[in-house]
Amino acid sequence: METANSNVSKAEEFKLLANEAFGARKYTQAIELYTKAIELNSQSAVYLANRAFAHIRLEEYGSAIQDATKAIEVDPKYSKGYYRRGTAHLAMGKFKEALKDFQQVKKLCPNDPDATKKLKECEKAVMKLKFEEAIAVPESQRRSVAESIDFHSIEVEPQYSGARIEGDIVTLDFVKKMMDDFKIQKFIHKRYAFQIVLQTREILRALPSLVDINVPDGKHFTVCGDVHGQYYDLLNIFKLNGLPSEENPYLFNGDFVDRGSFSLEVILTLFAFKCMSPSAIYLARGNHESKSMNKIYGFEGEVRSKLSETFVELFAEVFCCLPLAHVINEKIFVVHGGLFSVDGVKLSDIRAIDRFCEPPEEGLMCELLWSDPQPLPGRGPSKRGVGLSFGADVTKKFLQENNLDLVVRSHEVKDEGYEIDHDGKLITVFSAPNYCDQMGNKGAFIRFEAPDLKPNIVTFSAVDHPDVKPMAYANNFLRMFS
């Protein structure tokens, strides 16, 4: 009995320490401390729901759903268990599952105005989803938006004073002027926005799903991770490391958009450099280059606000043209998410993927965009609820079988902007510092110099940006929880 009381008391101490870490936005540390509390007292729904909340903050929605479900099993009347699970379902775009959880919250807390408000918003989201499903045109009958647009026929008003493309050629002078205009929140004419996006589409469509990059001896190459609409931090990368050019090439490894509220400025800048010089910049698809994510996390709302509905559809089409992975000098495999649920995947299998679609919920394409490394060997369930987690043995085997030396991936915020795992064979790089204006992390990029291709990691801090909050254009309902 005394031991049991002692365990409960120690567990409560760990919970208080975890709460402090959570308050200081040290979410990984908070999860470790809540875990210690749970090990000492597994019958506390509060500890489980608190750990679920920390997982939500780290975008580990799969783990959050597991914890919240356990909290509900421990105490079916604990409203926060349903609340946390509903929030995680919502963040994954699973509106119908979220609705069931918030209906339960309302049932348990009938007089809580916050629960009522969130339930109403969730009902609206589900109604909207049902309406969209009802009017959706089957994929086989869908016409390409890109092929219906003739940007040449769009007139530019004489009073327009922004950056101009003369003829069909995107020049460095145009890109610089456009970037300067974006910096002062002045937008380019829709004619030029159409031109940039349509020309990028043509370039990307011609590429294979796995792109080989050759870096000559004595030359260097830079890999950046997620930028997530943080335009002013993108400008800082270029300030620190130079603008993209054939002499200074970059690979941006997915998740250019969403969350940050300058996603359109980011994507048009990257696309404009691609038009200017295709070998100056390479672009990979991330899990956020998809309709389902853009609908929830802000890019769709931002495009609709700054441009038009036509551009929403056009970007969705162009994102389906982005390559899924790159290999540098036949030695470094670069992908947004990670590796696979099965052994024996060859580079030729990745090249053979038909990528011109929205990302599926399973299979090689899904795993390339969504998976994460784990410290334990083997494979495990994804903490995100999509893809999987893979260990050092999986990484080692994939590299050996494909005669590669290193995996570089992004997809996860890291305190220092990067992390080296799996016995030095895997590097995560993340280029959005102080992610969402709240994580306090550094950003990083990696410079490789041929022929040895030793990774030189450069870290940097966030810079100021105009007072437009992250998620300003996100789904109303999701903003209520952020």
Side-chain angles (χ1 to χ4, degrees):
M1 189 71 185
E2 214 171 282
T3 308
N5 287 339
S6 166
N7 282 353
V8 168
S9 173
K10 274 185 192 164
E12 196 61 19
E13 285 173 28
F14 279 125
K15 183 199 90 167
L16 293 173
L17 290 170
N19 289 352
E20 280 179 29
F22 188 99
R25 294 175 174 168
K26 294 177 178 173
Y27 303 119
T28 303
Q29 188 184 337
I31 287 168
E32 288 167 5
L33 290 162
Y34 287 131
T35 300
K36 287 180 179 175
I38 291 161
E39 283 166 356
L40 291 164
N41 179 9
S42 62
Q43 293 306 297
S44 169
V46 174
Y47 300 168
L48 287 159
N50 284 6
R51 190 170 70 178
F53 197 14
H55 280 302
I56 287 167
R57 285 286 187 240
L58 289 176
E59 301 176 20
E60 296 171 353
Y61 303 121
S63 298
I65 288 167
Q66 281 182 337
D67 274 352
T69 301
K70 281 181 196 162
I72 292 162
E73 286 166 4
V74 168
D75 183 356
K77 289 194 163 72
Y78 185 55
S79 64
K80 276 195 180 167
Y82 297 100
Y83 190 95
R84 300 294 180 229
R85 190 169 71 181
T87 305
H89 275 140
L90 179 74
M92 293 175 73
K94 295 184 174 180
F95 295 111
K96 291 170 188 173
E97 289 89 337
L99 180 60
K100 287 176 193 166
D101 285 326
F102 287 110
Q103 284 169 338
Q104 197 62 33
V105 174
K106 175 69 174 153
K107 198 171 165 185
L108 292 166
C109 310
N111 300 318
D112 182 343
D114 186 55
T116 304
K117 187 179 173 187
K118 289 189 166 67
L119 177 59
K120 278 184 180 166
E121 283 294 330
C122 199
E123 285 169 342
K124 266 197 261 179
V126 171
M127 287 290 288
K128 189 179 174 202
L129 189 69
K130 283 180 179 171
F131 176 72
E132 286 171 353
E133 285 171 358
I135 63 166
V137 178
E139 200 71 45
S140 57
Q141 295 171 26
R142 206 167 286 165
R143 286 185 59 215
S144 165
V145 178
E147 284 163 20
S148 69
I149 299 163
D150 176 16
F151 67 83
H152 294 99
S153 67
I154 300 170
E155 280 188 41
V156 179
E157 301 79 9
Q159 65 268 32
Y160 172 71
S161 61
R164 289 174 180 264
I165 302 171
E166 303 301 335
D168 284 351
I169 308 298
V170 175
T171 64
L172 180 58
D173 285 344
F174 165 79
V175 181
K176 283 180 173 175
K177 165 75 169 134
M178 180 183 73
M179 288 164 68
D180 287 343
D181 285 351
F182 285 167
K183 196 172 178 181
I184 57 170
Q185 295 183 273
K186 180 178 175 182
F187 222 70
I188 62 165
H189 196 281
K190 66 178 180 179
R191 181 214 191 276
Y192 305 124
F194 273 129
Q195 182 169 347
I196 289 165
V197 179
L198 290 166
Q199 288 185 355
T200 302
R201 175 178 176 266
E202 290 309 305
I203 294 165
L204 296 176
R205 280 176 77 197
L207 296 172
S209 292
L210 175 70
V211 175
D212 289 294
I213 297 169
N214 179 50
V215 184
D217 287 2
K219 301 292 183 182
H220 64 268
F221 190 86
T222 302
V223 178
C224 295
D226 303 34
V227 178
H228 273 301
Q230 296 186 199
Y231 178 68
Y232 296 83
D233 294 306
L234 174 67
L235 293 183
N236 190 37
I237 291 171
F238 292 152
K239 184 178 174 185
L240 294 169
N241 196 58
L243 293 174
S245 68
E246 289 184 10
E247 292 300 305
N248 188 38
Y250 283 80
L251 164 56
F252 281 84
N253 198 28
D255 282 14
F256 323 119
V257 301
D258 278 341
R259 295 196 177 269
S261 294
F262 305 96
S263 291
L264 197 47
E265 289 84 343
V266 167
I267 197 68
L268 286 174
T269 298
L270 298 178
F271 278 7
F273 276 117
K274 190 70 181 170
C275 294
M276 180 197 85
S277 176
S279 58
I281 192 165
Y282 296 84
L283 303 169
R285 194 173 194 173
N287 62 303
H288 276 267
E289 278 69 55
S290 68
K291 277 187 198 176
S292 58
M293 293 289 105
N294 297 161
K295 194 179 287 294
I296 301 171
Y297 290 99
F299 184 60
E300 184 178 297
E302 183 181 342
V303 173
R304 198 174 278 123
S305 171
K306 293 178 181 176
L307 285 168
S308 69
E309 184 66 38
T310 304
F311 274 97
V312 170
E313 294 177 46
L314 181 58
F315 275 111
E317 269 186 28
V318 178
F319 287 165
C320 292
C321 301
L322 286 160
L324 303 176
H326 293 76
V327 174
I328 303 170
N329 286 12
E330 301 181 350
K331 288 296 169 194
I332 300 170
F333 181 71
V334 190
V335 66
H336 179 72
L339 300 181
F340 311 102
S341 55
V342 292
D343 287 332
V345 175
K346 297 287 195 289
L347 296 182
S348 56
D349 297 321
I350 301 167
R351 275 192 199 94
I353 295 170
D354 179 5
R355 70 182 189 277
F356 297 97
C357 60
E358 287 302 311
E361 290 190 13
E362 58 185 15
L364 297 188
M365 182 170 168
C366 169
E367 290 160 4
L368 285 163
L369 300 181
W370 279 97
S371 294
D372 295 291
Q374 65 178 23
L376 297 171
R379 294 177 173 90
S382 166
K383 58 194 175 186
R384 298 174 190 269
V386 190
L388 71 144
S389 298
F390 59 96
D393 54 330
V394 176
T395 300
K396 185 180 177 185
K397 193 170 184 187
F398 173 78
L399 291 172
Q400 283 176 345
E401 288 178 349
N402 288 285
N403 196 25
L404 297 162
D405 293 341
L406 179 69
V407 173
V408 174
R409 45 88 64 179
S410 304
H411 196 38
E412 284 183 284
V413 61
K414 298 294 177 186
D415 286 346
E416 293 303 311
Y418 73 97
E419 191 166 274
I420 301 171
D421 291 299
H422 292 183
D423 307 315
K425 292 294 182 185
L426 182 144
I427 304 177
T428 297
V429 60
F430 191 85
S431 304
N434 194 26
Y435 180 46
C436 290
D437 283 0
Q438 61 172 285
M439 295 300 284
N441 60 293
K442 287 182 179 169
F445 53 83
I446 310 174
R447 276 173 68 106
F448 294 98
E449 191 155 330
D452 68 342
L453 298 178
K454 183 174 171 289
N456 174 25
I457 300 170
V458 178
T459 64
F460 57 95
S461 297
V463 296
D464 290 338
H465 62 76
D467 188 21
V468 184
K469 298 283 184 285
M471 303 285 280
Y473 301 94
N475 181 294
N476 273 344
F477 192 32
L478 198 65
R479 280 211 304 277
M480 295 165 76
F481 296 88
S482 59

